Amino acid sequence: MNDSNRDIEALIDMMARLPGLGPRSARRAVLHMIKKRGLLLGPLAEAMQRVADTARECVNCGNIGTGDLCEICANNARANGQICVVEDVADLWAMERGKAFKGRYHVLGGTLSALDAVGPDDLRIPRLLDRLPGEDVKEVILALNATVDGQTTAHYIADQLGDSVTVTSLAQGVPIGGELDYLDDGTISAALRSRRTF
Ligand code: ZN
């Protein structure tokens, strides 16, 4: 193998480590980029370099942005007294795509886990408590995953918050367009528990 092939192989190996891509998809993606060198490969390399230089965690909420504060924390219009607590930045981005939430976020960076020895200080939980007085928070919305660890974490945070703010959680239930027959038992029972007047 010559040197240039080695460079291409190294790129494929790195791409194959990305979530959702295996060696086969990585190979196809790299080949496609090389064929579209001017349109894709060059601009992609530049975009990656810019993000590598500028991307960082927001010191306030843990979102990813390009300044000390993310766009949401820097925007005073988002200071509406609500903080939505999520596990990961991907969850924050999913909430933002829904365009329904107008407040700010707090990214924990994971969930409590006895198995993986993750405790409260490993997550951004102390920082959440610090934010409450300074940002005049009235409601904390727990938007954690409906897993055992997610729900354990939600209960722990609710305990820590006590009566200082209103604590709510996302309703869980039948997805829009979902058919009952295809739902698992846990989803159906959660939907039944969070039922409302028709
Ligand atoms: Zn932020």
Side-chain angles (χ1 to χ4, degrees):
M1 187 186 285
N2 61 35
D3 280 349
S4 59
N5 271 357
R6 206 167 291 138
D7 288 343
I8 293 168
E9 286 298 326
L11 178 59
I12 291 169
D13 286 348
M14 272 188 273
M15 293 277 293
R17 288 188 225 152
L18 297 177
L21 285 187
R24 195 181 145 88
S25 311
R27 198 166 290 280
R28 284 177 53 190
V30 168
L31 186 57
H32 184 75
M33 287 192 293
I34 292 171
K35 285 181 182 168
K36 306 265 180 191
R37 183 188 302 252
L39 271 174
L40 268 177
L41 193 53
L44 186 71
E46 283 168 28
M48 288 176 107
Q49 189 59 58
R50 275 198 302 276
V51 172
D53 290 342
T54 59
R56 54 187 138 148
E57 277 181 359
C58 171
V59 293
N60 195 42
C61 77
N63 186 18
I64 303 277
T66 54
D68 284 342
L69 288 179
C70 70
E71 278 191 346
I72 296 170
C73 287
N75 180 356
N76 281 330
R78 300 292 297 253
N80 70 350
Q82 292 179 319
I83 288 185
C84 178
V85 178
V86 293
E87 290 177 22
D88 194 77
V89 174
D91 302 325
L92 186 164
W93 289 356
M95 292 280 298
E96 283 293 284
R97 283 199 300 275
K99 291 188 168 62
F101 181 64
K102 307 294 183 204
R104 286 183 175 155
Y105 294 91
H106 195 75
V107 182
L108 293 177
T111 50
L112 297 173
S113 167
L115 201 65
D116 298 322
V118 180
D121 292 337
D122 300 315
L123 303 176
R124 223 172 262 107
I125 292 177
R127 175 75 202 135
L128 172 65
L129 303 177
D130 287 348
R131 287 181 64 184
L132 302 185
E135 295 182 51
D136 200 16
V137 176
K138 304 280 193 290
E139 181 182 5
V140 171
I141 301 163
L142 299 173
L144 303 179
N145 292 333
T147 57
V148 173
D149 285 345
Q151 294 310 299
T152 303
T153 308
H155 285 293
Y156 176 85
I157 292 174
D159 277 350
Q160 296 291 306
L161 294 171
D163 296 330
S164 57
V165 286
T166 302
V167 182
T168 59
S169 67
L170 293 188
Q172 291 163 356
V174 184
I176 304 284
E179 294 179 40
L180 291 185
D181 197 21
Y182 290 95
L183 298 180
D184 64 274
D185 301 350
T187 303
I188 291 180
S189 46
L192 186 61
R193 282 198 302 276
S194 51
R195 69 191 183 279
R196 56 190 170 77
T197 308
F198 192 64

